[in-house]
Amino acid sequence: MSRTNTSNTISPKASALTRLAARCFIDGDHALLSALGDAIDALLVDEDDETLQAASDELVEQDLEAAADFWEFAKERAEMFLTETGEVTTLFAIPILEPDKIARFSADLTATALVRYGLVCERATVTFYPVPVDGGCLLNMDPVDIFRLHRQMGMDHHLVAEMLGNPQTPQNIPSYICFIGTITYPAQLPGPCLAWQLDVGEYLDRYGKWSEHVDQEALWLETRCNALGIPGRFVFAVREGAQEYQELMLVEFIQNAVNFSQKPQHILAKLTDGIMEDMTLELYDAQQHFGALQISWRSLGETRAEILEKLFDALRAAGISGMMFETHATSTKCNRAMH
């Protein structure tokens, strides 16, 4: 694949990083990933987000997929690093899918369950941030933000609180929250310490055993309700949990309208689609407006087509067949029935 030369307006450091990243993610020279990782680590330690962003912008001009891979790789480097004492420390997250079920959450008991069911090795130390945090804030963090958060997690919770903030959430956007923390373990172990370092089948098998018991053992709930999502490395778990939470909110929003109306065939769904932005779903019948739900896709690592498929499936399952589209790009509307 041919590539354009990087811009003369960016720094030599950013230009060199761009060339190295292009070799890895466009040319497929994975032998250079170690060198790229070392270069990114140095920028993270210096909190040089300007150079990282400049390299990312240059890659966007060459190959969008490569730019996304580079950004994800940089985030992974920020999530896990070696401490001065020779230990590995990694950020992790646990999505919260049922926020009203976590009032009796115990960090100690959850950490014990992570070890008991094989998600974390016995020689690891699991430390939770004391309160749930805004998942939207976590989704929007760049690699330097993640590194800064990681470094402060075990040092100063006041600085962490300032980083995470507490933005007000508009009423039509579901409040997605997560538990986050760090896992620290000796660098020299005979095998992987974290289940998400194993193959996906083994990882999900261990998660399944953990999820069968964690509601009762760590949340003190009488019955299992899957209040917590899949624990995993920070960026992956936050994003995957956001996708699952959004699906739950979509189904609940549609079902509430159906339950109130009792006549799903009379409900009209209006989808406002910004093409390159979030979508907004509104539900109506002849008498009332049932509200609006904002549906994200770009920040969640999904495609617009994947979101539309989930949306149509949820409406069809609820018995809603009337659909009206409105796009910002054309400002035109078209009515159609789904079959």
Side-chain angles (χ1 to χ4, degrees):
M1 179 183 297
S2 63
R3 300 196 301 269
T4 58
N5 292 327
T6 55
S7 170
N8 292 326
T9 62
I10 68 171
S11 70
K13 186 187 297 186
S15 181
L17 183 64
T18 303
R19 289 194 299 270
L20 184 56
R23 291 280 302 279
C24 293
F25 299 120
I26 297 179
D27 297 341
D29 191 350
H30 293 161
L32 293 175
L33 282 174
S34 178
L36 178 63
D38 291 342
I40 290 173
D41 290 349
L43 295 173
L44 292 173
V45 170
D46 292 340
E47 298 189 1
D48 187 354
D49 50 1
E50 184 177 339
T51 297
L52 281 169
Q53 187 62 60
S56 176
D57 292 344
E58 287 294 326
L59 283 171
V60 167
E61 296 297 321
Q62 299 176 29
D63 188 305
L64 279 173
E65 187 175 346
D69 289 342
F70 167 74
W71 206 242
E72 186 74 9
F73 183 74
K75 287 184 175 183
E76 288 182 21
R77 301 297 294 198
E79 289 176 332
M80 178 181 290
F81 54 81
L82 195 64
T83 68
E84 295 178 354
T85 58
E87 293 182 305
V88 175
T89 174
T90 184
L91 273 177
F92 76 96
I94 303 179
I96 298 170
L97 303 180
E98 296 283 352
D100 58 338
K101 304 290 186 183
I102 63 167
R104 302 177 69 187
F105 168 81
S106 166
D108 289 341
L109 292 177
T110 303
T112 298
L114 288 171
V115 174
R116 178 179 297 134
Y117 299 106
L119 286 167
V120 176
C121 69
E122 293 184 357
R123 296 186 63 185
T125 300
V126 181
T127 305
F128 278 90
Y129 185 65
V131 295
V133 298
D134 183 340
C137 174
L138 303 179
L139 280 169
N140 292 324
M141 283 187 163
D142 65 27
V144 170
D145 290 332
I146 294 171
F147 181 80
R148 190 181 294 124
L149 171 68
H150 190 176
R151 192 158 57 177
Q152 294 297 335
M153 278 289 291
M155 299 169 57
D156 192 332
H157 281 173
H158 293 295
L159 288 177
V160 172
E162 289 179 8
M163 286 184 64
L164 296 173
N166 186 27
Q168 295 299 312
T169 303
Q171 291 302 310
N172 65 329
I173 302 176
S175 178
Y176 168 56
I177 55 178
C178 302
F179 290 117
I180 63 171
T182 57
I183 300 171
T184 306
Y185 57 92
Q188 303 300 324
L189 287 178
C193 180
L194 309 172
W196 45 95
Q197 296 171 325
L198 305 172
D199 67 79
V200 67
E202 178 67 18
Y203 174 26
L204 292 178
D205 182 60
R206 295 187 186 195
Y207 161 69
K209 294 175 182 176
W210 177 82
S211 66
E212 287 177 12
H213 303 280
V214 70
D215 286 340
Q216 294 96 327
E217 293 182 8
L219 301 180
W220 299 93
L221 299 174
E222 293 184 0
T223 58
R224 178 181 176 184
C225 67
N226 296 321
L228 302 179
I230 303 178
R233 70 173 186 86
F234 180 79
V235 173
F236 175 81
V238 170
R239 186 174 58 236
E240 292 293 305
Q243 292 176 7
E244 187 172 359
Y245 185 75
Q246 179 169 260
E247 289 180 38
L248 292 173
M249 293 300 99
L250 174 62
V251 171
E252 181 179 329
F253 174 64
I254 294 171
Q255 194 58 52
N256 285 344
V258 170
N259 291 343
F260 196 86
S261 170
Q262 297 295 315
K263 296 179 179 180
Q265 68 274 17
H266 292 170
I267 295 177
L268 174 67
K270 175 187 174 184
L271 182 67
T272 304
D273 182 3
I275 303 300
M276 295 302 291
E277 301 170 0
D278 291 345
M279 306 174 188
T280 301
L281 175 68
E282 297 177 83
L283 298 177
Y284 303 84
D285 66 11
Q287 283 76 39
Q288 59 201 310
H289 178 220
F290 294 108
L293 180 74
Q294 186 169 328
I295 305 170
S296 301
W297 57 277
R298 288 171 64 83
S299 63
L300 302 189
E302 294 186 291
T303 67
R304 179 170 166 270
E306 288 170 335
I307 288 292
L308 288 172
E309 182 179 1
K310 292 176 182 179
L311 174 63
F312 294 155
D313 286 346
L315 291 169
R316 190 178 295 112
I320 298 174
S321 59
M323 170 70 80
M324 181 171 70
F325 294 95
E326 179 178 351
T327 63
H328 293 316
T330 60
S331 297
T332 60
K333 301 178 183 179
C334 61
N335 298 333
R336 69 182 67 172
M338 289 171 15
H339 301 287

